[in-house]
């Protein structure tokens, strides 16, 4: 039988279930990654499971998010992460070594492997032909302990690329085109598998820009074949032996095919406040730009930054525009320093930041009030930059660099000749900032600063509940709405009682107080509830405040899984019209929950305020229902052992 590439990788790792779209399957995980903002919880959970050493082929703990040390919290968390990694057989990538996805691509990823990461942009690894999936920290902890990863078997969509990109049009424009066509909900329940004659012209870092932003479509993963370009990249990393060729069989079947002619694409941007609000730069027009930020796990490879430096060389950024650059990895940073490109960037007036997520997650460099910021990043959700009324446009490094020079949003084709930049034969590899685990784990003492608070664990689900609707939201609520990030709140990631005070802070600052005062409740959401990040804090903190169920029109994949992992019921409406009538403050009565969950299907709920029946669907697999009833995945896993 002819098979597509995604099914081949899944089949080679299948532990349970049937590979039919919509069915629950379980796959073996070869590699894991965590970053610091989700990692502290993931390792506390791993520790609670009592497994002495990670059982994967390789597990890596990165520090890249919380690097602005404005108090003791982040530094304490780094020490905790370093020591717990050393003790439990996990590699530790030190702060300053780079953004997890970029470094993992450079140093650890391999075609054909499965990678589970506690960050939604883990599918970046798909650029190398691996099946890389983002998940909550608890799922990653289970995978480190040797457990399989459960997911709904996705549909596989073939994105067939033909033609070749024109000068000044780049990988970012390809994924912006996919977002324009499919929207931020368009990838839910799907793997986007790239193929076609256009693939061979794209390097691994370009492919990684595309798979990275598959997260913005809500896709389970995105994957490219492994070919000569993959081999060239791995050889340049001194890892040619990790290569194997991988591709879909000729005539492989797909659930859907989408054609994109690369030669027809033009420079584009995603306009505020959604990554799918895409238009051509020439149609958006020359709006004034206050800030340009270049970097993030989407666009900070060697070739991206070399192109930026060639564009800026010998010129000066516009006097009204601030340009900040954060290289994606120490490898990239060192190469720019060595070949003089860094000097060109500095001379042009760029403000150079350390290699980390930085402004992408609001860790500094917030734009001015009502400012326009053009960013090479992947998310432009309202307020994420740290400035509530800023307007963020997502665009390629070429558009960003051109706009930094002119001070207005600029189609880079106006700049003339496109600078030729190629991938080096050999990257500057140096793994001295990646610490291997200790050969004497018994001697390692785990350092726990006062910021590390014990992990709250939910109670088993009650059979009946009577709860108020604490909040009603619209469509496409992001995890940045539910659990905001930024330099003030991120340092509290290992302190759930403290961080829970900020749940829904930008939507309704009184939410946390109201939830605590009512002893818990229900959240009502629209379509694609919980899109965006993998942060399990968006489930863990509401759980701490007493949220027992979220009733929404539909859910984003990772957030739904996180709700279940922390014992919160994700419910949908049998009839979406019921969403309209449900209001904040109304009291819902759920009865016969245990039987309702075990028997599958619908739950009967009474809206006591209106004295009306409400039909809600749970769609939980038997395993998921058992997890909820046990009070979350940690309790469930303990019950099994
Ligand atoms: C993000 O881009 O939103 C983050 C910060 O990387 C998150 C993870 C987190 O919240 O820690 C993600 O994408 O999963
Ligand atoms: Fe970091 Fe931004 Fe990438 Fe998230 S999207 S991992 S915050 S660079």
């Amino acid at each position: 039988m002819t098979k597509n590439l995604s099914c081949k990788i899944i089949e080679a790792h299948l532990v349970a279930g049937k590979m039919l779209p919509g069915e629950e399957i379980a796959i073996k995980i070869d590699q894991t990654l965590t970053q610091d903002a989700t990692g502290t919880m993931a390792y506390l959970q791993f520790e609670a499971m009592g497994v002495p050493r990670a059982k994967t082929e390789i597990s890596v703990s990165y520090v890249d998010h919380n690097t602005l040390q404005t108090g003791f919290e982040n530094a304490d968390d780094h020490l905790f992460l370093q020591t717990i990694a050393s003790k439990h057989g996990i590699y530790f990538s030190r702060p300053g070594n780079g953004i997890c996805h970029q470094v993992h691509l450079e140093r650890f990823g391999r075609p054909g492997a499965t990678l589970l990461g506690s960050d939604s942009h883990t599918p970046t690894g798909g650029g190398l032909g691996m099946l890389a999936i983002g998940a909550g920290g608890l799922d990653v902890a289970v995978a480190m302990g040797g457990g399989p990863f459960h997911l709904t078997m996705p549909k596989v969509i073939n994105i067939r690329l033909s033609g070749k990109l024109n000068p000044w049009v780049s990988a970012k424009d390809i994924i912006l085109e996919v977002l324009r066509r499919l929207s931020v909900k368009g990838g839910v329940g799907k793997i986007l598998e790239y193929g076609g004659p256009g693939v061979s012209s794209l390097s691994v870092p370009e492919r990684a820009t595309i798979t990275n932003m598959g997260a913005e479509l809500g896709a389970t993963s995105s994957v490219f074949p492994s070919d000569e370009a993959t081999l060239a990249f791995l050889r340049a990393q001194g890892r040619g032996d990790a290569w194997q060729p991988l591709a879909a069989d000729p005539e492989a079947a797909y659930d859907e095919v989408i054609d994109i002619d690369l030669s027809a694409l033009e420079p584009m941007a995603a306009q505020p406040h959604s990554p799918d609000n895409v238009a051509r730069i020439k149609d958006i027009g020359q709006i004034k730009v206050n800030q340009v930020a270049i970097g993030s796990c989407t666009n900070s490879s060697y070739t991206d930054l070399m192109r930026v430096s060639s564009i800026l060389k010998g010129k000066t950024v516009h006097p009204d525009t601030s340009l900040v650059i954060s290289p994606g990895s120490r490898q990239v940073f060192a190469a720019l320093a060595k070949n003089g490109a860094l000097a060109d960037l500095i001379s042009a007036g760029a403000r150079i930041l350390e290699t980390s997520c930085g402004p992408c997650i609001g860790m500094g460099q917030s734009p001015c009030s009502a400012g326009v910021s053009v960013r090479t990043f992947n998310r432009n959700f309202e307020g994420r930059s740290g400035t509530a009324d800023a307007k963020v446009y997502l665009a390629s490094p070429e558009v960003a660099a051109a706009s930094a020079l002119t001070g207005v949003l600029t189609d880079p084709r106006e700049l003339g000749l496109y600078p030729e930049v190629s991938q080096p034969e050999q990257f500057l590899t140096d793994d001295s900032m990646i610490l291997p685990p200790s050969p004497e784990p018994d001697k390692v003492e785990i350092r726990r600063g006062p910021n590390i608070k014990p992990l709250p664990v939910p109670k088993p689900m009650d059979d009946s509940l009577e709860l108020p609707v604490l909040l009603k939201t619209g469509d496409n609520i992001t995890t940045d709405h539910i659990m905001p990030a930024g330099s003030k709140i991120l340092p509290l990631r290992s302190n759930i009682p403290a961080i829970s005070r900020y749940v829904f802070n930008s939507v309704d600052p009184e939410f946390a107080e109201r939830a605590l005062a009512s002893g818990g409740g229900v959240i009502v959401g629209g379509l694609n509830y919980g899109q965006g990040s993998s942060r399990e804090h968006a489930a863990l903190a509401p759980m701490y405040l007493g949220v027992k169920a979220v009733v929404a029109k539909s859910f984003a994949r990772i957030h739904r899984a996180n709700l279940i992992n922390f014992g919160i019921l994700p419910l949908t409406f049998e009839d979406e019209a019921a969403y309209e009538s449900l209001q904040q403050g109304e009291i819902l009565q759920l009865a016969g929950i245990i039987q309702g969950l075990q028997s599958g299907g619908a739950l009967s709920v009474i809206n006591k305020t209106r004295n009306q029946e409400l039909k809600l669907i749970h769609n939980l697999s038997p395993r998921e229902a058992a997890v909820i009833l046990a009070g979350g995945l940690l309790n469930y896993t303990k019950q099994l052992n």
Side-chain angles (χ1 to χ4, degrees), residues 242-258:
W243 184 72
Q244 58 160 315
L246 278 179
D249 291 332
E251 312 297 320
Y254 290 95
D255 293 294
E256 197 184 326
V257 178
I258 294 172

Side-chain angles (χ1 to χ4, degrees), residues 157-240:
I157 311 301
N158 185 205
I159 306 211
R160 222 160 38 190
L161 305 179
S162 62
K164 205 169 174 301
L165 291 171
N166 283 313
W168 297 106
V169 184
S170 63
K172 184 63 151 270
D173 298 305
I174 304 178
I175 188 62
L176 289 176
E177 173 66 8
V178 181
L179 274 153
R180 189 184 71 79
R181 292 202 205 174
L182 298 185
S183 92
V184 290
K185 309 187 281 294
V188 178
K190 297 173 184 167
I191 293 180
L192 307 183
E193 181 173 316
Y194 290 82
V199 163
S200 60
S201 64
L202 300 172
S203 67
V204 166
E206 288 173 311
R207 296 173 186 185
T209 293
I210 296 168
T211 54
N212 172 282
M213 274 190 88
E216 276 51 72
L217 292 138
T220 303
S221 192
S222 299
V223 65
F224 272 83
S226 167
D227 57 9
E228 290 302 312
T230 322
L231 177 60
F233 177 81
L234 286 170
R235 278 207 180 121
Q237 291 291 347
R239 301 201 295 120

Side-chain angles (χ1 to χ4, degrees), residues 65 99-101 119 121 296-297 357 360-361 378-379 384:
H65 282 63
I99 305 176
C100 55
H101 309 302
D119 191 280
H121 291 103
S296 91
C297 56
C357 300
C360 179
I361 192 56
N378 47 38
R379 290 188 174 138
R384 181 172 159 105

Side-chain angles (χ1 to χ4, degrees), residues 349-388:
R351 302 166 65 182
I352 309 293
L353 307 177
E354 70 171 314
T355 54
S356 67
C357 300
C360 179
I361 192 56
M363 266 286 161
Q365 301 296 332
S366 299
C368 63
S369 289
V372 168
S373 180
V374 174
R375 302 179 157 208
T376 65
F377 307 167
N378 47 38
R379 290 188 174 138
N380 58 347
F381 303 146
E382 200 168 3
R384 181 172 159 105
S385 66
T387 302

Side-chain angles (χ1 to χ4, degrees), residues 523-536:
I523 295 165
V524 174
L527 289 167
N528 203 23
Y529 180 85
Q531 69 157 328
S533 84
S534 71
R535 65 190 70 148
E536 58 193 355

Side-chain angles (χ1 to χ4, degrees), residues 215-439:
E216 276 51 72
L217 292 138
T220 303
S221 192
S222 299
V223 65
F224 272 83
S226 167
D227 57 9
E228 290 302 312
T230 322
L231 177 60
F233 177 81
L234 286 170
R235 278 207 180 121
Q237 291 291 347
R239 301 201 295 120
D241 55 356
W243 184 72
Q244 58 160 315
L246 278 179
D249 291 332
E251 312 297 320
Y254 290 95
D255 293 294
E256 197 184 326
V257 178
I258 294 172
D259 283 297
I260 296 182
D261 175 5
L262 300 184
S263 59
L265 298 182
E266 295 187 49
M268 288 181 278
Q271 308 166 92
H273 297 287
S274 182
D276 60 0
N277 189 12
V278 173
R280 290 184 302 187
I281 300 290
K282 68 178 188 209
D283 295 335
I284 302 171
Q286 298 193 335
I287 50 172
K288 190 171 163 45
V289 173
N290 306 90
Q291 182 194 56
V292 170
I294 298 177
S296 91
C297 56
T298 317
N299 272 119
S300 55
S301 67
Y302 173 83
T303 34
D304 280 341
L305 295 187
M306 283 307 293
R307 194 153 286 129
V308 168
S309 79
S310 310
I311 295 170
L312 298 179
K313 188 174 175 154
K315 305 193 174 96
T316 311
V317 297
H318 190 276
D320 296 335
T321 308
S322 164
L323 169 65
V324 292
I325 299 181
S326 38
S329 70
R330 183 164 147 272
Q331 181 185 92
V332 169
F333 206 2
L336 299 181
K338 206 161 177 188
N339 69 15
L342 182 59
D344 294 333
L345 294 173
I346 295 170
S347 302
R351 302 166 65 182
I352 309 293
L353 307 177
E354 70 171 314
T355 54
S356 67
C357 300
C360 179
I361 192 56
M363 266 286 161
Q365 301 296 332
S366 299
C368 63
S369 289
V372 168
S373 180
V374 174
R375 302 179 157 208
T376 65
F377 307 167
N378 47 38
R379 290 188 174 138
N380 58 347
F381 303 146
E382 200 168 3
R384 181 172 159 105
S385 66
T387 302
D389 56 1
K391 295 182 197 68
V392 175
Y393 290 74
L394 306 173
S396 67
E398 289 82 353
V399 169
S403 306
L405 289 177
T406 59
V408 291
L409 188 68
T410 300
D411 186 328
R413 291 174 296 188
E414 289 168 20
L415 298 186
L417 216 57
Y418 190 46
E420 273 306 318
V421 174
S422 52
Q423 185 172 282
E425 293 273 305
Q426 205 58 57
F427 288 108
L428 279 181
T429 56
D430 165 11
D431 291 335
S432 56
M433 295 276 278
I434 300 174
L435 309 181
S438 169

